[in-house]
């Protein structure tokens, strides 16, 4: 496996994903993880991610010095190159011209890292500083017009530094560079395959759970569906699936998920209608964080009650969740270098729980979860659904959630998604949904004045939800969606299209 030390880069997940796509497991760790702890993962190589800091600033993030004494190959990317060069005796300074975007890399020596590449390669830069003096023992491999040390290496120690980003698609042969690092330099084994994962996961959970019983919460989203299916294959009727219908789901969502689980042969599946409880607890609550916490706690409370009441005959020892790798990484270390933006629904658990938690998908990225689902014969249309947040439509109604508002939003959202599917636009978008802005504005319909709510349409292109761009939607499609919503949904007389990127806006509204 490969350890990615994260220096605060928005691309750390992208690096890990690229490594996994090449068939090698990657684990992201905080930049200052002690060398001893890194060794416990037995990595074949270490990658230093980029990051927004400058090594010229006091207290900029540094890896533990011991990392350089492990005898393990290191690839430093961008800030990662600079911090490595600086700590090993080189010098970094603010570049004359800041390089952002595509640049032409001129490769002087290919070595193992650039094996198979041309003499000139298009690469992607995003940093102001650069290495101006390389450490002793290092040689220069490549440069650009404004950056003479765009690639450096100490071939004896197997330390490599590149100023550009091989993980982004703008670097045309980036995957080849990463592959060279993994297989020519680290001699990593290609053993991270979703087909093997399926077998391993089922085996591991069969052993771990033994004859105990497990409760799993189905939320309607892809992750909990796949997690439940893995567990069902491992322990069959010892799995008790509960679908809490919070009343905060999209149209037909509870029904579709229940149907597909029944088709999988789930014996123990309960659908708990709980809309009334959720709406009562959310009554009068405006604050987004408060809403998220109430929903998370109510969810768990209902599970505990179900576990006690419905399964008295089977003592439930474990509670399974569909937490995936990015959820876990983001909740573990937002502390020092990022502020908390939102509480994640899956993770706002009360401290005292009656069961132990298991997370079958805790090491997987979304695309790996989907491929796993396909291998277990789950329907493609459910697996490739856009992500849906745990707190559901509650975070897509700004302010108080009421039954009337939910009904309006559900109808508008269904029209929106239906039109996207019809126009073959749905699969081009990473996530699309409608949002209700319960602000009334004046309109005119027929000859009468209307005074109704606003619906905002959000559609974003993204890789992992960490950053996102608004989707450039065909205008005729937008027009069709807008006129259908205003015509067909009672309570809405105005439709907006959201053209904000993340950052600065988040994808969801709360
Ligand atoms: P934001 O709004 O933070 O969303 O830009 C990024 C991605 O995360 C999803 N999201 C959640 N998913 N529980 C989830 O399972 C949550 O509480 C939650 N909040 C946001 C959001 O839909 C988007 O895909």
């Amino acid at each position: 496996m490969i350890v990615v030390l994260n220096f605060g880069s928005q691309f750390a997940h992208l690096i890990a994903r690229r490594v996994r796509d090449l068939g090698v497991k990657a684990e992201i760790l905080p930049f200052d993880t002690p060398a001893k702890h890194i060794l416990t993962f037995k990595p074949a190589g270490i990658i230093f991610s980029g990051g927004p800091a400058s090594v010229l600033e006091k207290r900029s993030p540094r890896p533990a010095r011991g990392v350089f004494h492990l005898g393990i190959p290191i690839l430093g990317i961008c800030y990662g190159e600079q911090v490595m060069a600086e700590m090993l005796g080189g010098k970094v300074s603010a570049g004359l011209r800041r390089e952002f975007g595509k640049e032409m890399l001129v490769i002087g020596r290919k070595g193992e890292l650039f094996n198979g590449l041309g003499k000139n390669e298009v690469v992607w830069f995003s940093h102001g500083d650069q290495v101006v003096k390389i450490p002793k023992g290092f040689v220069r491999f490549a440069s650009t017009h404004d950056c003479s040390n765009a690639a450096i290496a100490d071939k004896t120690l197997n330390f490599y530094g590149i100023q550009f980003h091989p993980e982004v698609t703008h670097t045309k042969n980036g995957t080849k560079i990463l592959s060279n690092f993994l297989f020519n330099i680290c001699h990593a084994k290609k053993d991270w395959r979703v087909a093997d994962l399926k077998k391993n996961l089922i085996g591991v959970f069969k052993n771990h759970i033994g004859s105990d019983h497990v409760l799993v919460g189905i939320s309607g989203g892809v992750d909990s569906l796949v997690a439940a299916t893995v567990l069902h294959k491992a322990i069959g009727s010892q799995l008790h699936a509960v679908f809490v219908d919070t009343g905060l789901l999209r149209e037909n969502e509870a029904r579709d998920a229940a149907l597909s689980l029944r088709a999988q042969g789930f014996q123990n599946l309960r659908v708990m209608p709980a809309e009334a409880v959720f709406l009562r607890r959310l009554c009068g609550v405006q604050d987004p964080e408060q809403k998220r916490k109430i929903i998370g706690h109510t969810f768990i409370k209902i599970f505990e009650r179900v576990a006690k009441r419905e399964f008295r005959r089977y003592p439930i020892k474990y509670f399974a969740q569909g937490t995936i790798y990015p959820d876990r990484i983001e909740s573990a270390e937002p502390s020092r270098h990022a502020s908390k933006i939102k509480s994640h629904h899956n993770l706002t658990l009360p401290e005292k729980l009656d069961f132990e938690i298991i997370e079958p998908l805790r090491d997987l990225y979304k695309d790996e979860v989907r491929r796993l689902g396909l291998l277990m014969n789950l329907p493609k249309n459910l697996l490739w659904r856009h992500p849906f947040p745990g707190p559901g439509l509650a975070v897509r109604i700004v302010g108080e959630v009421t039954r009337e508002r939910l009904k309006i939003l559900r109808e508008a959202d269904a029209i929106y998604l239906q039109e996207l599917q019809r126009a073959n636009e749905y699969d081009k978008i990473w996530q699309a949904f409608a949002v209700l802005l319960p602000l009334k504005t004046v309109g005119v319909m027929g000859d009468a004045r209307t005074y109704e709510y606003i619906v905002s349409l959000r559609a974003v292109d993204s890789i992992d939800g960490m950053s996102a761009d608004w989707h450039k939607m065909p205008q005729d499609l937008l027009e069709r969606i807008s006129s259908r919503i205003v015509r067909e949904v009672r309570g809405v007389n105005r439709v907006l299209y959201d053209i904000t990127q993340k950052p600065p806006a988040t994808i969801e509204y709360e």
Side-chain angles (χ1 to χ4, degrees):
M1 63 94 65
I2 294 288
V3 161
V4 178
L5 289 188
N6 186 5
F7 288 86
S9 169
Q10 52 170 331
F11 297 132
H13 280 292
L14 201 50
I15 300 171
R17 293 255 323 249
R18 296 269 181 262
V19 171
R20 285 168 176 227
D21 288 345
L22 288 164
V24 180
K25 187 177 178 197
E27 184 82 28
I28 299 175
L29 298 177
F31 65 87
D32 55 354
T33 306
K36 252 201 204 147
H37 185 61
I38 293 177
L39 262 194
T40 61
F41 290 87
K42 301 201 181 86
I46 299 171
I47 298 180
F48 291 180
S49 79
S54 162
V55 295
L56 304 171
E57 293 160 8
K58 264 194 199 151
R59 284 205 291 275
S60 52
R62 310 262 146 158
R65 199 162 270 286
V67 172
F68 297 109
H69 302 294
L70 295 174
I72 297 174
I74 300 176
L75 172 65
I77 295 174
C78 193
Y79 178 85
E81 179 203 17
Q82 293 152 14
V83 78
M84 171 158 69
E86 212 256 357
M87 285 178 76
L88 297 177
K91 198 162 173 281
V92 173
S93 73
L96 288 177
R97 188 173 75 90
R98 295 170 80 81
E99 287 186 288
F100 285 98
K102 285 182 187 165
E103 296 284 337
M104 186 58 77
L105 184 75
V106 181
I107 299 176
R109 299 174 203 219
K110 291 209 175 147
E112 268 128 349
L113 193 63
F114 294 148
N115 197 7
L117 269 67
K119 253 190 114 38
N120 297 304
E121 288 286 340
V122 175
V123 296
W124 198 76
F125 272 71
S126 162
H127 212 279
D129 296 349
Q130 55 172 278
V131 176
V132 287
K133 182 179 149 236
I134 61 178
K136 222 169 121 200
F138 275 72
V139 287
R140 173 194 305 161
F141 270 67
S143 47
T144 63
H145 186 264
D146 288 301
C147 174
S148 50
N149 296 311
I152 58 172
D154 181 326
K155 291 193 61 175
T156 323
L157 295 174
N158 271 327
F159 293 167
Y160 290 78
I162 50 182
Q163 171 79 52
F164 56 91
H165 290 269
E167 69 275 23
V168 302
T169 47
H170 312 299
T171 296
K172 216 171 133 246
N173 277 315
T175 306
K176 178 76 187 138
I177 296 171
L178 286 174
S179 161
N180 283 343
F181 178 67
L182 297 185
F183 303 115
N184 297 350
I185 296 165
C186 303
H187 306 292
K189 281 206 201 89
K190 230 183 183 151
D191 56 4
W192 182 258
R193 289 190 341 141
V194 173
D196 298 336
L197 262 174
K198 176 188 148 199
K199 243 188 358 222
N200 293 347
L201 279 177
I202 294 172
V204 163
F205 283 101
K206 205 182 177 106
N207 279 338
H208 180 77
I209 296 162
S211 57
D212 284 313
H213 288 256
V214 180
L215 186 67
V216 66
I218 308 289
S219 69
V222 174
D223 305 340
S224 64
L225 200 64
V226 175
T229 311
V230 168
L231 291 173
H232 183 249
K233 297 228 180 283
I235 57 167
S237 61
Q238 287 155 250
L239 180 71
H240 305 268
V242 175
F243 194 128
V244 176
D245 187 353
T246 57
L248 305 172
L249 298 171
R250 287 169 291 195
E251 205 151 85
N252 297 331
E253 198 153 25
R255 196 199 62 188
D256 290 354
L259 279 177
S260 86
L261 288 177
R262 294 225 157 88
Q264 285 281 320
F266 268 64
Q267 296 98 319
N268 304 320
L269 171 68
R270 294 256 187 291
V271 179
M272 291 282 297
E275 186 193 37
V277 184
F278 278 89
L279 285 182
R280 201 170 54 241
R281 295 207 178 169
L282 287 168
C283 179
V285 183
Q286 305 254 358
D287 178 65
E289 275 300 290
Q290 193 69 16
K291 279 161 74 175
R292 281 175 171 269
K293 291 215 170 85
I294 290 172
I295 294 165
H297 285 213
T298 308
F299 213 84
I300 294 289
K301 277 276 165 281
I302 292 177
F303 264 100
E304 286 183 317
R305 214 179 312 140
V306 172
K308 282 193 190 117
R309 198 183 56 201
E310 305 264 334
F311 303 117
R312 217 161 261 150
R313 283 191 302 145
Y314 309 102
I316 306 283
K317 181 162 178 199
Y318 298 102
F319 172 40
Q321 310 200 114
T323 318
I324 66 171
Y325 189 59
D327 304 337
R328 209 153 56 76
I329 293 299
E330 266 124 51
S331 64
E333 28 165 312
S335 47
R336 276 161 306 183
H337 286 267
S339 57
K340 178 169 162 184
I341 314 282
K342 295 174 188 179
S343 340
H344 197 287
H345 168 83
N346 294 338
L347 300 154
T348 39
L349 300 172
E351 271 151 33
K352 241 178 110 245
L353 279 177
D354 287 346
F355 5 70
E356 284 174 41
I357 304 276
I358 49 175
E359 298 168 323
L361 312 178
R362 69 197 311 272
D363 282 332
L364 306 188
Y365 280 102
K366 194 81 168 188
D367 54 325
E368 295 169 326
V369 170
R370 286 182 167 139
R371 278 185 277 152
L372 183 63
L374 265 194
L375 283 174
M376 296 188 300
N377 302 321
L378 287 171
K380 200 164 177 194
N381 66 330
L382 275 187
L383 292 173
W384 262 264
R385 262 190 178 178
H386 293 170
F388 187 66
L393 300 182
V395 292
R396 295 177 177 175
I397 293 171
V398 174
E400 191 184 359
V401 179
T402 66
R403 191 168 273 122
E404 178 223 9
R405 292 176 179 184
L406 279 166
K407 181 170 179 289
I408 294 175
L409 178 56
R410 219 174 263 127
E411 287 175 13
D413 190 66
I415 291 173
Y416 183 26
L417 299 187
Q418 195 183 62
E419 287 297 330
L420 291 179
Q421 297 273 19
R422 268 191 201 153
N424 288 327
E425 199 69 17
Y426 185 86
D427 290 333
K428 297 181 195 156
I429 300 169
W430 194 75
Q431 190 173 17
F433 53 89
V435 175
L436 185 68
L437 307 180
L439 256 181
K440 290 199 170 180
T441 67
V442 175
V444 53
M445 216 169 185
D447 284 328
R449 175 188 190 270
T450 58
Y451 189 52
E452 312 280 14
Y453 289 149
I454 304 172
V455 159
S456 170
L457 305 176
R458 184 88 162 128
V460 294
D461 302 324
S462 176
I463 288 169
D464 51 15
M466 301 292 287
S467 60
D469 194 5
W470 60 278
H471 182 72
K472 311 300 178 290
M473 189 84 78
Q475 295 193 2
D476 55 336
L477 177 57
L478 278 175
E479 189 174 309
R480 219 161 36 242
I481 295 162
S482 157
S483 39
R484 266 197 71 190
I485 290 176
V486 174
R487 218 175 40 235
E488 296 174 35
V489 183
R490 284 190 78 131
V492 178
N493 67 355
R494 195 176 292 271
V495 176
L496 313 178
Y497 188 56
D498 186 339
I499 53 166
T500 338
Q501 290 169 321
K502 172 184 179 176
T506 53
I507 297 176
E508 303 289 346
Y509 276 39
E510 290 195 335

